[in-house]
């Protein structure tokens, strides 16, 4: 018997998703036509003997989340429930807080994954790898290869190349440690809770010793436990952790730019997993270039040109002569005649006027480096807004014949002129 735990976090602060996240929790943001979280759930549901999927986070339960859970349960025929943390408890604190629910029914092991990653999720391969390494270890980490420079932005794993044992683990090191990075996808046995409990007891002793000062600082709470810093660094070298290296795609989804990139990866995967989701060229339909997802309810003029890497949401209206490339257009948006949308996210119920141009700067990994990952974007650089994907929040109106380039437009804005490299509040 197996279970899967997906850490969905909570309301994000200071991220590039914030203009879009006012409407739905970040894990429900559509990537390649379906909520980001659905890709995780689909992969979990395909694992034999998977009995339950548990979502853990500190979002307040809302109608959007409840509808998604209900719909996913019906589609994938597996129990799914949401457990709300009383505060952000970290990657280890959340599962330790809900350990009784996770261990109910006596699962032999459970998958744990972060919601803000995209991957082919080689869960069944991880399970076989886990079983090949006997019963004495307590976890398998999914790893992938990054280049030397970008590896400093991730948790780095030093392995025994013969046994795949994790010998050393460092979270975001200041100097090069290893080109194998942590993917945020794990397979644990129930033994992991004993190691987390040891850290919790130590945190409690420190908490009491400090006379419970600085109570407002969440890091002082003994319940806050981080797997990466508090658990993996301790267990490395003790024959308790192993790393399974994937050759499939993997990327974090931390920004609008990485959402566009993740959409491209999933759309390409649809050729094998969901070819019915990909639009094709037919008489009386828009011209399709490359991989494109179009929701069945979208109304698109046959003279429009879409692709490559385009996702069109529910109820979208696209007029004649429109060009869309490397973009996500969310439900209810209207793209009027002859407008152009490139490297952008068009929010819910937004309107782009006739002959307008909405354009961003792509932030793709280096195509000449097979191990390159998408860079972590900084919002500002050299005193100005870093050129990146253009975001239109929900219910934004772009007038005709203007240009919006490399900008973030917060929700419910009616613009009256062109903007470049700005955040429109």
């Amino acid at each position: 018997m197996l279970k899967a735990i997906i850490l969905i976090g909570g309301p994000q602060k200071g991220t590039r998703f914030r203009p879009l996240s006012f409407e739905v929790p970040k894990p429900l943001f559509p990537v390649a036509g379906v909520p980001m979280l659905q890709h995780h759930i689909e992969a979990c549901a395909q694992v034999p003997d998977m009995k339950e999927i548990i979502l853990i986070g500190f979002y307040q339960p809302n109608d959007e989340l409840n509808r998604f859970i209900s719909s996913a349960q019906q589609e994938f025929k597996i129990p799914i429930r949401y457990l709300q943390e009383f505060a952000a408890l970290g990657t280890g604190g959340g599962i330790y807080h809900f350990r009784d629910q996770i261990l109910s029914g006596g699962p032999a092991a459970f998958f744990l994954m972060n919601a803000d990653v995209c991957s082919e999720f080689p869960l069944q391969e991880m399970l076989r790898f886990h079983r090949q390494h006997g019963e004495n270890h307590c976890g398998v980490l999914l790893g992938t290869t990054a280049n030397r420079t970008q590896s400093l932005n991730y948790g780095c794993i030093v392995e025994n190349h013969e046994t795949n044992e994790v010998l050393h683990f460092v979270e975001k090191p200041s100097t090069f440690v290893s080109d194998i990075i942590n993917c945020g996808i794990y397979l644990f046995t129930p033994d992991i809770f004993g190691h987390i409990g040891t850290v919790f007891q130590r945190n409690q002793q420190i908490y009491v010793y400090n006379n419970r000062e600085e109570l407002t600082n969440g890091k002082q709470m003994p319940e806050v436990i981080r797997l990466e810093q508090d658990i993996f660094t301790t267990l490395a070298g003790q024959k308790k952790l192993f790393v399974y290296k994937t050759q499939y795609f993997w990327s974090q989804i931390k920004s609008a730019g990485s959402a566009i990139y993740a959409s491209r990866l999933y759309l390409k995967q649809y050729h094998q997993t969901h070819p019915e989701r990909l639009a094709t060229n037919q008489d009386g339909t828009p011209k399709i270039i490359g991989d494109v997802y179009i929701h069945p309810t979208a109304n698109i003029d046959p003279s429009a040109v879409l692709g490559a890497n385009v996702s069109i949401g529910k109820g979208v209206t696209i007029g004649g002569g429109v060009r869309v490339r490397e973009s996500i257009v969310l439900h209810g948006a209207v793209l009027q005649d002859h407008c152009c949308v490139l490297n952008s996210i068009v929010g819910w119920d937004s309107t782009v006027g006739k002959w307008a141009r909405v354009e961003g700067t792509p932030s793709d990994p280096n195509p000449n480096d097979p191990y390159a990952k998408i860079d972590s974007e900084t919002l500002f650089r050299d005193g100005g807004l870093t050129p990146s994907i253009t975001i239109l929040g929900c219910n934004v109106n772009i007038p005709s014949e203007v240009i919006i380039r490399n900008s973030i437009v917060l929700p419910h804005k009616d613009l009256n002129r062109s903007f470049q490299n700005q955040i429109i509040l």
Side-chain angles (χ1 to χ4, degrees):
M1 172 183 168
L2 300 168
K3 291 190 178 185
I5 318 301
I6 305 175
L7 304 178
I8 67 173
Q12 303 294 305
K13 295 182 180 180
T15 73
R16 295 296 296 272
F17 269 106
R18 189 166 176 78
L20 301 177
S21 302
F22 289 132
E23 303 301 313
V24 300
K26 177 181 170 181
L28 300 187
F29 182 85
V31 175
V34 301
M36 187 191 308
L37 195 54
Q38 185 168 322
H39 298 288
H40 299 63
I41 291 175
E42 181 176 355
C44 294
Q46 293 173 354
V47 177
D49 206 26
M50 181 66 68
K51 296 303 181 185
E52 183 182 33
I53 298 173
I54 299 175
L55 313 180
I56 296 179
F58 56 100
Y59 288 101
Q60 288 291 334
N62 55 46
D63 291 342
E64 191 82 21
L65 185 59
N66 291 335
R67 281 196 301 269
F68 169 77
I69 292 174
S70 177
S71 174
Q73 285 189 122
Q74 294 179 5
E75 179 174 356
F76 299 109
K77 305 296 188 292
I78 190 168
I80 304 172
R81 55 181 171 142
Y82 173 56
L83 302 178
Q84 184 189 0
E85 299 170 314
F86 62 87
L89 300 179
T91 50
I95 62 172
Y96 188 71
H97 182 71
F98 293 113
R99 60 193 180 279
D100 290 342
Q101 286 94 324
I102 295 172
L103 295 177
S104 66
F110 63 93
F111 289 96
L112 176 70
M113 59 190 76
N114 293 313
D116 60 353
V117 298
C118 79
S119 171
E120 289 194 40
F121 298 108
L123 304 184
Q124 298 188 54
E125 292 90 334
M126 289 179 68
L127 185 59
R128 285 195 293 270
F129 178 88
H130 162 73
R131 289 169 175 167
Q132 290 168 359
H133 283 75
E135 300 179 354
N136 294 326
H137 67 283
C138 63
V140 174
L141 285 59
L142 183 67
T144 190
T145 305
N147 62 40
R148 291 177 65 97
T149 301
Q150 291 182 316
S151 68
L152 305 181
N153 299 321
Y154 302 91
C156 294
I157 302 168
V158 178
E159 69 161 342
N160 181 320
H161 293 290
E162 295 181 358
T163 65
N164 304 117
E165 180 196 349
V166 176
L167 300 177
H168 190 48
F169 185 94
V170 185
E171 181 69 13
K172 296 181 180 178
S174 56
T175 58
F176 176 76
V177 172
S178 169
D179 60 1
I180 303 173
I181 62 171
N182 176 24
C183 293
I185 300 171
Y186 316 111
L187 176 60
F188 292 126
T189 67
D191 292 344
I192 193 68
F193 289 116
H195 301 287
I196 300 176
T198 299
V199 174
F200 175 72
Q201 295 296 331
R202 183 193 68 198
N203 288 352
Q204 265 197 326
Q205 292 173 2
I206 296 173
Y207 185 66
V208 173
Y209 179 78
N210 290 336
N211 296 318
R212 304 184 182 182
E213 294 178 356
E214 302 179 18
L215 294 178
T216 57
N217 186 345
K219 293 182 179 179
Q220 301 296 318
M221 295 169 54
E223 295 90 350
V224 176
I225 301 171
R226 303 158 300 176
L227 287 174
E228 300 80 6
Q229 292 95 327
D230 298 327
I231 306 299
F232 296 162
T233 53
T234 303
L235 294 183
Q238 298 186 23
K239 294 183 169 56
K240 295 295 185 181
L241 295 177
F242 290 85
V243 56
Y244 175 77
K245 289 173 296 195
T246 179
Q247 303 300 318
Y248 299 125
F249 74 78
W250 175 89
S251 182
Q252 286 185 322
I253 307 179
K254 298 289 189 182
S255 65
S258 57
I260 297 289
Y261 179 61
S263 180
R264 181 192 309 162
L265 297 175
Y266 279 134
L267 287 170
K268 183 178 180 180
Q269 187 189 27
Y270 283 170
H271 286 283
Q272 284 74 45
T273 59
H274 293 286
E276 74 282 357
R277 292 182 182 174
L278 295 172
T280 56
N281 285 297
Q282 300 176 11
D283 292 339
T285 63
K287 181 178 180 181
I288 303 300
I289 301 173
D291 299 331
V292 175
Y293 167 84
I294 301 174
H295 194 277
T297 61
N299 182 17
I300 304 176
D301 190 277
S303 63
V305 180
L306 309 179
N309 185 26
V310 167
S311 175
I312 305 297
K314 180 179 178 181
V316 168
T317 300
I318 297 180
V322 170
R323 180 71 173 102
V324 185
R325 187 181 73 215
E326 297 287 339
S327 297
I328 297 173
V329 183
L330 298 172
H331 74 250
V334 177
L335 308 185
Q336 297 181 354
D337 296 350
H338 304 290
C339 71
C340 184
V341 177
L342 310 174
N343 300 300
S344 300
I345 294 177
V346 179
W348 299 274
D349 300 316
S350 290
T351 300
V352 179
K354 296 179 180 179
W355 297 99
R357 185 179 183 92
V358 177
E359 182 177 3
T361 299
S363 53
D364 296 343
N366 181 357
N368 298 317
D369 183 350
Y371 301 124
K373 308 302 177 188
I374 196 162
D375 283 322
S376 299
E377 299 173 4
T378 55
L379 197 56
F380 297 98
R381 183 183 301 159
D382 299 327
L385 186 66
T386 305
S388 184
I389 298 298
T390 288
I391 303 173
L392 305 184
C394 67
N395 195 28
V396 168
N397 290 311
I398 305 298
S400 300
E401 301 180 21
V402 304
I403 298 175
I404 308 297
R405 180 176 287 128
N406 299 334
S407 296
I408 300 173
V409 185
L410 267 66
H412 311 296
K413 297 296 176 185
D414 292 313
L415 305 188
N416 55 16
R417 62 179 179 86
S418 297
F419 289 91
Q420 180 171 323
N421 300 326
Q422 293 191 42
I423 299 177
I424 294 100
L425 301 174

